[in-house]
Amino acid sequence: MKKNFPILVSLVLLTACTSAPADSVAATPEPTATPVITLEPTPSPTPAPTMAVYDEVSFDDWRDGAGCTMPDYTFSAPHKPQPQEQVTWPTDGVTLCYNAKTLEEAAEVFHTTVENLKELNPDWQDKYSRAIGCYWALKVQAEPYTLPMNNVVTVTVNAPWVESYYDRTEVCDVPASLDKQARAVLASAYYFQYHWWGMHAGFLPYEKLDEPVGFFNYRAADGAFYTKFSEFGSFLHTVYSDAWVDDMLSMDPALFAEGENDTILTLDGDRGGNIAYCGHLFTEPELQPDGSLAFWQLSLTCESDDFKGWAGEETIVPDTATVTTVRLVPTENGWRVDALELPN
């Protein structure tokens, strides 16, 4: 039963978090579980790094060096991931799925073969979506996958100058084994993507332009997250890798562009979410040969035909986990997000 309804008005398809009490930061605990999956092919015993691993940058130095007004951050103590209301974490394993541009890509990531993927997905040809250019929800292993229950830290991101109460704050969980600066940068990316590059696209409030500029009919107005493109650019480069920012601003159509007098041109749109979404979990971040940190975000859904929605009082047990990769890359000014998709 298909329950995923991504709709983004006049825009390209873009790819909540559970909450917990926000107290003071506690020491990072030892990882509580070892993932049974790996992100990359097993490296050679002595891989040659292709990116320097820089010294740790403190949270305060990262935030103070942003070159723009940054949100406020509050960090909870590490805790076990908490299911959202009506959800119970499954104990018997789930079906592990992946969205891939090609079957070869999925085979490489999961250390299997294209032939095996076709056996696991007899309807593999029907799983290809021309709208998004990928194979949707490919089953990638025959045996049930046991979900990791690694500790998380709840980060509250608050931009008090934002006019909309809904857009002012985001509360999200991130892996507890990340350092404080990495926790903040990942939470900042969730914040930005949930509010202006995901569920909604474009800044609010906005002013209508006298004349359209390409696809753009609006500019960000007072009360928006940013109104000056120079400050917005500083935020993006403080949170994301240069490559990620370049890709975002060069999309066709892009959601944002620089206007006259350092203004921000913006589009306006929304998309729906997956009604069967039950929350998400993380594998433990692992240092890669290139110096990056990579781990899996596991988006949990209930794909059973018995799922009737959330109107009743029955407990929902997710049965499917869809994998996306989260990647942080090191720079001289701290970690930057290089890969992240919203879990819903």
Side-chain angles (χ1 to χ4, degrees):
M1 178 171 65
K2 296 185 182 220
K3 313 182 191 70
N4 200 346
F5 306 105
I7 305 170
L8 181 59
V9 179
S10 303
L11 303 175
V12 295
L13 195 71
L14 301 175
T15 34
C17 300
T18 58
S19 62
D23 302 315
S24 59
V25 180
T28 300
E30 292 296 323
T32 60
T34 301
V36 299
I37 47 182
T38 55
L39 294 169
E40 303 289 347
T42 303
S44 60
T46 55
T50 58
M51 180 185 297
V53 179
Y54 297 103
D55 293 334
E56 181 177 323
V57 174
S58 74
F59 164 77
D60 290 335
D61 287 346
W62 167 78
R63 188 175 183 273
D64 293 344
C68 63
T69 303
M70 290 290 286
D72 300 322
Y73 300 83
T74 305
F75 304 83
S76 79
H79 59 88
K80 291 295 184 184
Q82 299 298 311
Q84 62 189 46
E85 188 176 358
Q86 284 189 253
V87 172
T88 297
W89 298 134
T91 57
D92 297 331
V94 296
T95 300
L96 195 65
C97 293
Y98 184 68
N99 303 327
K101 292 182 178 179
T102 65
L103 295 178
E104 288 76 12
E105 174 197 336
E108 180 179 358
V109 171
F110 291 92
H111 311 292
T112 185
T113 64
V114 170
E115 290 71 23
N116 186 45
L117 289 176
K118 290 180 178 180
E119 291 179 3
L120 291 171
N121 301 274
D123 57 345
W124 63 274
Q125 291 176 312
D126 296 331
K127 286 180 176 286
Y128 187 78
S129 169
R130 293 183 180 274
I132 57 178
C134 78
Y135 289 92
W136 189 259
L138 287 171
K139 184 178 180 179
V140 293
Q141 65 180 41
E143 63 275 13
Y145 172 67
T146 301
L147 292 172
M149 290 292 164
N150 301 315
N151 277 0
V152 295
V153 164
T154 300
V155 184
T156 301
V157 184
N158 178 264
W161 67 89
V162 172
E163 178 179 286
S164 167
Y165 176 81
Y166 170 78
D167 289 330
R168 195 175 302 151
T169 303
E170 182 64 35
V171 181
C172 60
D173 287 346
V174 299
S177 57
L178 296 174
D179 67 39
K180 188 177 180 181
Q181 187 267 317
R183 295 172 183 173
V185 81
L186 182 55
S188 299
Y190 277 119
Y191 178 37
F192 173 68
Q193 289 178 227
Y194 264 117
H195 293 278
W196 299 294
W197 204 70
M199 304 300 284
H200 178 78
F203 284 157
L204 292 171
Y206 54 67
E207 300 170 342
K208 188 172 179 61
L209 298 174
D210 294 333
E211 296 290 340
V213 178
F215 290 101
F216 296 99
N217 290 297
Y218 311 104
R219 71 168 64 88
D222 289 344
F225 188 41
Y226 290 107
T227 58
K228 294 182 178 180
F229 192 85
S230 56
E231 289 192 354
F232 179 40
S234 294
F235 169 83
L236 291 176
H237 286 285
T238 300
V239 173
Y240 295 98
S241 69
D242 292 345
W244 193 99
V245 176
D246 290 345
D247 286 346
M248 188 199 80
L249 295 178
S250 63
M251 293 170 59
D252 187 18
L255 301 187
F256 306 95
E258 183 175 5
E260 292 183 350
N261 302 317
D262 201 24
T263 56
I264 302 172
L265 303 179
T266 182
L267 296 183
D268 179 31
D270 293 280
R271 71 164 172 88
N274 188 341
I275 63 172
Y277 173 71
C278 298
H280 62 277
L281 299 169
F282 302 106
T283 61
E284 277 294 336
E286 296 181 356
L287 189 65
Q288 304 300 306
D290 64 0
S292 66
L293 281 171
F295 51 98
W296 281 358
Q297 175 181 258
L298 299 157
S299 299
L300 306 180
T301 55
C302 181
E303 303 297 335
S304 169
D305 289 337
D306 295 331
F307 177 74
K308 305 300 182 185
W310 301 92
E313 297 181 358
E314 67 275 10
T315 298
I316 306 299
V317 181
D319 52 33
T320 302
T322 300
V323 173
T324 56
T325 297
V326 182
R327 188 178 302 276
L328 307 181
V329 296
T331 73
E332 292 178 343
N333 299 310
W335 295 102
R336 299 293 188 268
V337 175
D338 190 58
L340 176 67
E341 298 178 24
L342 292 181
N344 184 31

